[in-house]
Amino acid sequence: MKPTTEFDQVDVTLAEDRKTVILHAYAGEALYLQTVHQATEELDTHSVEVKDADLWRARAVPSAWWKP
């Protein structure tokens, strides 16, 4: 699919289970998703979505993007 640098915006989100880190990437109107981490224990929302957001973005794999 696309390398992360080709998207207009890449948001980092902690899923409702508080264990799954998901990237939401936008290329124009198109949305792409990628799960970049599955923890065994709950994670802190602020740490995932703000403090460490760039670290999660860096874990994106170009071939792992999918369209919902």
Side-chain angles (χ1 to χ4, degrees):
M1 188 60 58
K2 293 173 168 270
T4 305
T5 55
E6 290 187 24
F7 292 110
D8 300 322
Q9 178 180 341
V10 178
D11 296 329
V12 180
T13 304
L14 183 60
E16 288 183 26
D17 67 4
R18 299 182 51 84
K19 295 179 182 180
T20 307
V21 180
I22 302 170
L23 299 180
H24 294 77
Y26 303 90
E29 296 289 320
L31 170 64
Y32 296 87
L33 301 174
Q34 184 174 151
T35 300
V36 290
H37 185 70
Q38 182 70 45
T40 55
E41 296 182 14
E42 289 188 357
L43 301 171
D44 176 68
T45 303
H46 180 76
S47 292
V48 170
E49 296 180 357
V50 179
K51 183 179 173 189
D52 298 330
D54 288 338
L55 297 174
W56 295 116
R57 287 184 191 101
R59 294 183 72 171
V61 177
S63 62
W65 291 107
W66 59 278
K67 290 181 88 171

